[in-house]
Amino acid sequence: MCDYSLEMYASRPARESEKYVTTRFPSGSIGLAAPGDCTTAVCVQYDTHLKLEGISSDLQTRLAVKDEEHVVFARLEHGAYRDGVKFDNGKEISLQLLGSGVGVTLVELAKPEIVRERQDVLETID
């Protein structure tokens, strides 16, 4: 979703496979925007899988993550800002802590029928 702090800006939903960047809006809040359009907040649904690129070396060290990571967009239950990401290692942080300039791509997930076909094939092999 778009954090409450971004409600004063124009917004639009995220699109699969489109690239975004974490951006500091004039209010001081960090959200997602398309490169070259820092006036429109891009809203992501919770539980959406994302790929982050360009995570700062400081955060890499503090969170035990790499420069590129797959994460899940999450609603945080604590703090002033609720939009965040959850890493595979279980760590969760607010978008505000990511800082500006981190690349974000929505990850295309396998369609349910493809997953079922793969499960059928694996059961046949067993």
Side-chain angles (χ1 to χ4, degrees), residues 41-83:
V42 174
C43 302
V44 177
Q45 291 186 10
Y46 296 124
D47 297 324
T48 298
H49 291 254
L50 307 170
K51 178 182 174 185
L52 302 181
E53 298 175 90
I55 299 169
S56 73
S57 57
D58 177 55
L59 271 181
Q60 290 177 49
T61 302
R62 286 182 19 211
L63 300 173
V65 297
K66 298 178 211 147
D67 174 64
E68 287 185 15
E69 288 282 337
H70 282 94
V71 299
V72 175
F73 194 71
R75 183 181 195 287
L76 304 178
E77 298 300 323
H78 56 287
Y81 296 95
R82 299 303 174 129
D83 288 349

CSV table of all heavy atoms in Angstrom, one decimal, residues 41-83:
chain,number,residue,atom,x,y,z
A,41,ALA,N,3.7,8.6,-6.1
A,41,ALA,CA,4.0,7.5,-5.3
A,41,ALA,C,3.5,6.2,-5.9
A,41,ALA,O,2.3,6.2,-6.4
A,41,ALA,CB,3.4,7.6,-3.9
A,42,VAL,N,4.2,5.2,-5.9
A,42,VAL,CA,3.8,3.9,-6.5
A,42,VAL,C,3.4,3.0,-5.3
A,42,VAL,O,4.2,2.8,-4.4
A,42,VAL,CB,4.9,3.2,-7.3
A,42,VAL,CG1,4.5,1.8,-7.8
A,42,VAL,CG2,5.2,4.1,-8.5
A,43,CYS,N,2.2,2.5,-5.3
A,43,CYS,CA,1.7,1.7,-4.2
A,43,CYS,C,1.8,0.2,-4.5
A,43,CYS,O,1.4,-0.2,-5.6
A,43,CYS,CB,0.3,2.1,-3.9
A,43,CYS,SG,0.0,3.8,-3.5
A,44,VAL,N,2.3,-0.5,-3.5
A,44,VAL,CA,2.5,-2.0,-3.6
A,44,VAL,C,1.6,-2.7,-2.6
A,44,VAL,O,1.5,-2.2,-1.5
A,44,VAL,CB,4.0,-2.4,-3.4
A,44,VAL,CG1,4.2,-3.9,-3.4
A,44,VAL,CG2,4.9,-1.7,-4.4
A,45,GLN,N,1.0,-3.7,-3.0
A,45,GLN,CA,0.1,-4.5,-2.1
A,45,GLN,C,1.0,-5.3,-1.2
A,45,GLN,O,2.1,-5.8,-1.5
A,45,GLN,CB,-0.8,-5.5,-2.8
A,45,GLN,CG,-1.9,-4.7,-3.6
A,45,GLN,CD,-2.9,-5.7,-4.2
A,45,GLN,OE1,-2.9,-6.9,-3.9
A,45,GLN,NE2,-3.7,-5.2,-5.1
A,46,TYR,N,0.6,-5.4,0.1
A,46,TYR,CA,1.3,-6.3,1.0
A,46,TYR,C,1.4,-7.7,0.5
A,46,TYR,O,0.5,-8.2,-0.2
A,46,TYR,CB,0.6,-6.2,2.4
A,46,TYR,CG,0.7,-4.8,3.0
A,46,TYR,CD1,-0.5,-4.2,3.4
A,46,TYR,CD2,1.9,-4.1,3.1
A,46,TYR,CE1,-0.5,-2.9,3.9
A,46,TYR,CE2,1.9,-2.8,3.6
A,46,TYR,CZ,0.7,-2.2,4.0
A,46,TYR,OH,0.8,-0.9,4.5
A,47,ASP,N,2.5,-8.4,0.9
A,47,ASP,CA,2.8,-9.8,0.5
A,47,ASP,C,3.2,-9.9,-0.9
A,47,ASP,O,3.4,-11.0,-1.5
A,47,ASP,CB,1.6,-10.7,0.7
A,47,ASP,CG,1.2,-10.8,2.2
A,47,ASP,OD1,2.1,-10.8,3.1
A,47,ASP,OD2,0.0,-10.9,2.5
A,48,THR,N,3.5,-8.8,-1.6
A,48,THR,CA,4.1,-8.8,-2.9
A,48,THR,C,5.6,-9.1,-2.9
A,48,THR,O,6.3,-8.5,-2.0
A,48,THR,CB,3.8,-7.4,-3.6
A,48,THR,OG1,2.4,-7.2,-3.8
A,48,THR,CG2,4.5,-7.4,-5.0
A,49,HIS,N,6.1,-9.9,-3.7
A,49,HIS,CA,7.5,-10.3,-3.8
A,49,HIS,C,8.2,-9.2,-4.6
A,49,HIS,O,7.8,-8.9,-5.7
A,49,HIS,CB,7.7,-11.7,-4.3
A,49,HIS,CG,7.2,-12.7,-3.4
A,49,HIS,ND1,8.0,-13.5,-2.7
A,49,HIS,CD2,5.9,-13.1,-3.1
A,49,HIS,CE1,7.3,-14.4,-2.0
A,49,HIS,NE2,6.0,-14.1,-2.2
A,50,LEU,N,9.3,-8.8,-4.0
A,50,LEU,CA,10.1,-7.7,-4.7
A,50,LEU,C,11.6,-8.1,-4.7
A,50,LEU,O,12.0,-8.9,-3.9
A,50,LEU,CB,10.1,-6.4,-3.9
A,50,LEU,CG,8.7,-5.9,-3.5
A,50,LEU,CD1,8.8,-4.7,-2.5
A,50,LEU,CD2,8.0,-5.4,-4.8
A,51,LYS,N,12.3,-7.6,-5.7
A,51,LYS,CA,13.8,-7.7,-5.7
A,51,LYS,C,14.3,-6.3,-5.5
A,51,LYS,O,14.0,-5.4,-6.1
A,51,LYS,CB,14.2,-8.2,-7.1
A,51,LYS,CG,15.7,-8.3,-7.2
A,51,LYS,CD,16.1,-8.7,-8.6
A,51,LYS,CE,17.6,-8.7,-8.8
A,51,LYS,NZ,18.0,-9.0,-10.2
A,52,LEU,N,15.2,-6.3,-4.5
A,52,LEU,CA,15.9,-5.0,-4.1
A,52,LEU,C,17.3,-5.1,-4.7
A,52,LEU,O,18.0,-6.1,-4.6
A,52,LEU,CB,16.0,-4.8,-2.6
A,52,LEU,CG,14.7,-4.8,-1.8
A,52,LEU,CD1,15.0,-4.6,-0.3
A,52,LEU,CD2,13.8,-3.7,-2.4
A,53,GLU,N,17.8,-3.9,-5.2
A,53,GLU,CA,19.1,-3.8,-5.8
A,53,GLU,C,19.8,-2.5,-5.2
A,53,GLU,O,19.1,-1.5,-5.2
A,53,GLU,CB,19.1,-3.8,-7.3
A,53,GLU,CG,18.5,-5.0,-7.9
A,53,GLU,CD,18.4,-4.9,-9.4
A,53,GLU,OE1,19.4,-5.3,-10.1
A,53,GLU,OE2,17.4,-4.4,-9.9
A,54,GLY,N,21.0,-2.6,-4.8
A,54,GLY,CA,21.7,-1.4,-4.4
A,54,GLY,C,21.5,-1.1,-2.9
A,54,GLY,O,21.5,0.0,-2.5
A,55,ILE,N,21.3,-2.2,-2.1
A,55,ILE,CA,21.2,-2.0,-0.6
A,55,ILE,C,22.5,-1.5,-0.1
A,55,ILE,O,23.6,-2.0,-0.5
A,55,ILE,CB,20.8,-3.3,0.0
A,55,ILE,CG1,19.5,-3.8,-0.5
A,55,ILE,CG2,20.8,-3.2,1.6
A,55,ILE,CD1,19.1,-5.2,-0.1
A,56,SER,N,22.5,-0.5,0.7
A,56,SER,CA,23.7,0.1,1.2
A,56,SER,C,24.6,-0.9,2.0
A,56,SER,O,24.1,-1.8,2.6
A,56,SER,CB,23.4,1.3,2.2
A,56,SER,OG,22.9,0.9,3.4
A,57,SER,N,25.9,-0.7,1.9
A,57,SER,CA,26.8,-1.6,2.6
A,57,SER,C,26.6,-1.6,4.1
A,57,SER,O,26.7,-2.6,4.8
A,57,SER,CB,28.3,-1.2,2.3
A,57,SER,OG,28.5,0.1,2.7
A,58,ASP,N,26.2,-0.4,4.7
A,58,ASP,CA,25.8,-0.4,6.1
A,58,ASP,C,24.7,-1.3,6.5
A,58,ASP,O,24.7,-2.1,7.4
A,58,ASP,CB,25.5,1.1,6.5
A,58,ASP,CG,25.1,1.2,8.0
A,58,ASP,OD1,25.8,0.7,8.8
A,58,ASP,OD2,24.0,1.7,8.2
A,59,LEU,N,23.6,-1.3,5.7
A,59,LEU,CA,22.4,-2.1,5.9
A,59,LEU,C,22.8,-3.6,5.6
A,59,LEU,O,22.3,-4.5,6.3
A,59,LEU,CB,21.3,-1.8,5.0
A,59,LEU,CG,20.3,-0.7,5.6
A,59,LEU,CD1,19.2,-0.5,4.6
A,59,LEU,CD2,19.8,-1.1,6.9
A,60,GLN,N,23.6,-3.8,4.6
A,60,GLN,CA,24.1,-5.2,4.3
A,60,GLN,C,24.7,-5.8,5.6
A,60,GLN,O,24.4,-7.0,6.0
A,60,GLN,CB,25.1,-5.2,3.2
A,60,GLN,CG,24.4,-4.9,1.8
A,60,GLN,CD,25.5,-4.9,0.7
A,60,GLN,OE1,26.3,-5.8,0.6
A,60,GLN,NE2,25.5,-3.9,-0.1
A,61,THR,N,25.6,-5.0,6.2
A,61,THR,CA,26.3,-5.5,7.4
A,61,THR,C,25.3,-5.7,8.6
A,61,THR,O,25.3,-6.7,9.2
A,61,THR,CB,27.4,-4.5,7.8
A,61,THR,OG1,28.3,-4.4,6.7
A,61,THR,CG2,28.2,-5.0,9.0
A,62,ARG,N,24.5,-4.7,8.8
A,62,ARG,CA,23.6,-4.7,10.0
A,62,ARG,C,22.5,-5.8,9.9
A,62,ARG,O,22.1,-6.4,10.9
A,62,ARG,CB,22.9,-3.4,10.1
A,62,ARG,CG,23.8,-2.3,10.7
A,62,ARG,CD,23.1,-1.0,10.9
A,62,ARG,NE,21.7,-1.0,11.0
A,62,ARG,CZ,20.9,0.1,10.6
A,62,ARG,NH1,21.5,1.2,10.1
A,62,ARG,NH2,19.6,0.0,10.8
A,63,LEU,N,22.1,-6.1,8.6
A,63,LEU,CA,21.0,-7.1,8.5
A,63,LEU,C,21.5,-8.5,8.0
A,63,LEU,O,20.7,-9.4,7.8
A,63,LEU,CB,20.0,-6.5,7.5
A,63,LEU,CG,19.3,-5.2,7.9
A,63,LEU,CD1,18.4,-4.7,6.7
A,63,LEU,CD2,18.5,-5.4,9.1
A,64,ALA,N,22.8,-8.6,7.7
A,64,ALA,CA,23.4,-9.8,7.1
A,64,ALA,C,22.7,-10.2,5.8
A,64,ALA,O,22.2,-11.3,5.6
A,64,ALA,CB,23.3,-11.0,8.1
A,65,VAL,N,22.6,-9.2,4.9
A,65,VAL,CA,22.1,-9.4,3.6
A,65,VAL,C,23.1,-9.0,2.5
A,65,VAL,O,24.1,-8.4,2.9
A,65,VAL,CB,20.7,-8.6,3.4
A,65,VAL,CG1,19.7,-9.1,4.4
A,65,VAL,CG2,20.9,-7.1,3.5
A,66,LYS,N,22.7,-9.2,1.3
A,66,LYS,CA,23.6,-8.9,0.2
A,66,LYS,C,23.1,-7.6,-0.5
A,66,LYS,O,22.1,-7.0,-0.2
A,66,LYS,CB,23.6,-10.0,-0.9
A,66,LYS,CG,24.2,-11.3,-0.3
A,66,LYS,CD,24.1,-12.4,-1.4
A,66,LYS,CE,23.9,-13.7,-0.7
A,66,LYS,NZ,23.1,-14.6,-1.5
A,67,ASP,N,23.9,-7.1,-1.5
A,67,ASP,CA,23.5,-6.0,-2.3
A,67,ASP,C,22.2,-6.1,-3.0
A,67,ASP,O,21.4,-5.2,-3.1
A,67,ASP,CB,24.6,-5.7,-3.3
A,67,ASP,CG,24.3,-4.6,-4.3
A,67,ASP,OD1,24.2,-3.5,-3.9
A,67,ASP,OD2,24.1,-4.9,-5.5
A,68,GLU,N,21.9,-7.4,-3.4
A,68,GLU,CA,20.6,-7.7,-4.1
A,68,GLU,C,19.9,-8.8,-3.2
A,68,GLU,O,20.5,-9.7,-2.8
A,68,GLU,CB,20.8,-8.3,-5.5
A,68,GLU,CG,21.2,-7.3,-6.5
A,68,GLU,CD,21.3,-7.9,-7.9
A,68,GLU,OE1,20.8,-9.0,-8.1
A,68,GLU,OE2,21.9,-7.3,-8.8
A,69,GLU,N,18.6,-8.6,-3.0
A,69,GLU,CA,17.9,-9.5,-2.1
A,69,GLU,C,16.4,-9.6,-2.6
A,69,GLU,O,15.9,-8.6,-3.1
A,69,GLU,CB,17.8,-9.0,-0.7
A,69,GLU,CG,19.1,-9.2,0.1
A,69,GLU,CD,19.4,-10.6,0.5
A,69,GLU,OE1,18.5,-11.4,0.6
A,69,GLU,OE2,20.6,-10.9,0.7
A,70,HIS,N,15.9,-10.8,-2.5
A,70,HIS,CA,14.4,-10.9,-2.7
A,70,HIS,C,13.8,-10.7,-1.4
A,70,HIS,O,14.2,-11.3,-0.4
A,70,HIS,CB,14.1,-12.3,-3.3
A,70,HIS,CG,14.4,-12.3,-4.8
A,70,HIS,ND1,15.6,-12.8,-5.2
A,70,HIS,CD2,13.7,-11.9,-5.8
A,70,HIS,CE1,15.6,-12.7,-6.6
A,70,HIS,NE2,14.5,-12.2,-6.9
A,71,VAL,N,12.7,-9.9,-1.3
A,71,VAL,CA,12.0,-9.6,-0.1
A,71,VAL,C,10.5,-9.7,-0.4
A,71,VAL,O,10.0,-9.8,-1.5
A,71,VAL,CB,12.3,-8.2,0.4
A,71,VAL,CG1,13.8,-8.1,0.7
A,71,VAL,CG2,11.9,-7.1,-0.6
A,72,VAL,N,9.7,-9.6,0.7
A,72,VAL,CA,8.3,-9.5,0.6
A,72,VAL,C,7.9,-8.2,1.2
A,72,VAL,O,8.3,-7.8,2.3
A,72,VAL,CB,7.6,-10.7,1.4
A,72,VAL,CG1,6.1,-10.5,1.4
A,72,VAL,CG2,8.0,-12.0,0.8
A,73,PHE,N,7.0,-7.4,0.5
A,73,PHE,CA,6.5,-6.1,1.0
A,73,PHE,C,5.6,-6.4,2.2
A,73,PHE,O,4.7,-7.3,2.1
A,73,PHE,CB,5.8,-5.4,-0.1
A,73,PHE,CG,5.5,-4.0,0.2
A,73,PHE,CD1,6.5,-3.0,0.2
A,73,PHE,CD2,4.2,-3.5,0.4
A,73,PHE,CE1,6.3,-1.7,0.4
A,73,PHE,CE2,4.0,-2.2,0.7
A,73,PHE,CZ,5.0,-1.3,0.7
A,74,ALA,N,5.8,-5.8,3.3
A,74,ALA,CA,5.1,-6.1,4.5
A,74,ALA,C,4.5,-4.9,5.2
A,74,ALA,O,5.1,-3.8,5.1
A,74,ALA,CB,6.1,-6.8,5.5
A,75,ARG,N,3.5,-5.1,6.0
A,75,ARG,CA,2.9,-4.1,6.8
A,75,ARG,C,3.5,-4.3,8.2
A,75,ARG,O,3.3,-5.3,8.8
A,75,ARG,CB,1.4,-4.2,6.9
A,75,ARG,CG,0.8,-3.1,7.8
A,75,ARG,CD,-0.7,-3.3,7.9
A,75,ARG,NE,-1.4,-2.1,8.4
A,75,ARG,CZ,-1.3,-1.7,9.6
A,75,ARG,NH1,-0.7,-2.3,10.5
A,75,ARG,NH2,-2.0,-0.6,10.0
A,76,LEU,N,4.2,-3.3,8.7
A,76,LEU,CA,4.9,-3.4,10.0
A,76,LEU,C,3.9,-3.1,11.1
A,76,LEU,O,3.0,-2.2,10.9
A,76,LEU,CB,6.1,-2.5,10.0
A,76,LEU,CG,7.2,-2.7,8.9
A,76,LEU,CD1,8.3,-1.7,9.1
A,76,LEU,CD2,7.7,-4.1,9.0
A,77,GLU,N,4.0,-3.7,12.2
A,77,GLU,CA,3.1,-3.5,13.3
A,77,GLU,C,3.6,-2.5,14.3
A,77,GLU,O,2.9,-2.2,15.3
A,77,GLU,CB,2.8,-4.8,14.0
A,77,GLU,CG,2.1,-5.9,13.1
A,77,GLU,CD,0.8,-5.4,12.5
A,77,GLU,OE1,0.0,-4.7,13.3
A,77,GLU,OE2,0.5,-5.7,11.4
A,78,HIS,N,4.8,-2.0,14.1
A,78,HIS,CA,5.4,-1.1,15.1
A,78,HIS,C,6.0,0.1,14.3
A,78,HIS,O,6.3,0.1,13.1
A,78,HIS,CB,6.5,-1.8,15.9
A,78,HIS,CG,7.5,-2.4,15.0
A,78,HIS,ND1,7.3,-3.5,14.2
A,78,HIS,CD2,8.8,-2.0,14.7
A,78,HIS,CE1,8.4,-3.8,13.5
A,78,HIS,NE2,9.3,-2.9,13.8
A,79,GLY,N,6.2,1.2,15.0
A,79,GLY,CA,6.8,2.4,14.5
A,79,GLY,C,5.8,3.3,13.8
A,79,GLY,O,4.6,3.0,13.6
A,80,ALA,N,6.3,4.5,13.4
A,80,ALA,CA,5.4,5.5,12.8
A,80,ALA,C,5.1,5.2,11.4
A,80,ALA,O,4.1,5.6,10.9
A,80,ALA,CB,6.1,6.9,12.9
A,81,TYR,N,6.0,4.5,10.7
A,81,TYR,CA,5.8,4.1,9.3
A,81,TYR,C,5.5,2.6,9.2
A,81,TYR,O,6.1,1.8,9.9
A,81,TYR,CB,7.0,4.4,8.5
A,81,TYR,CG,7.4,5.9,8.4
A,81,TYR,CD1,8.3,6.4,9.3
A,81,TYR,CD2,6.8,6.7,7.4
A,81,TYR,CE1,8.6,7.8,9.2
A,81,TYR,CE2,7.1,8.0,7.4
A,81,TYR,CZ,8.0,8.6,8.3
A,81,TYR,OH,8.3,9.9,8.2
A,82,ARG,N,4.5,2.2,8.4
A,82,ARG,CA,4.0,0.9,8.4
A,82,ARG,C,4.5,0.1,7.2
A,82,ARG,O,4.5,-1.1,7.2
A,82,ARG,CB,2.5,0.8,8.5
A,82,ARG,CG,1.9,1.4,9.8
A,82,ARG,CD,2.5,0.7,11.0
A,82,ARG,NE,2.1,1.4,12.2
A,82,ARG,CZ,1.6,0.7,13.2
A,82,ARG,NH1,1.4,-0.6,13.1
A,82,ARG,NH2,1.3,1.4,14.3
A,83,ASP,N,4.9,0.8,6.1
A,83,ASP,CA,5.3,0.0,4.9
A,83,ASP,C,6.8,-0.4,5.1
A,83,ASP,O,7.6,0.4,5.5
A,83,ASP,CB,5.3,1.0,3.7
A,83,ASP,CG,3.8,1.2,3.2
A,83,ASP,OD1,2.9,0.5,3.7
A,83,ASP,OD2,3.7,2.1,2.3
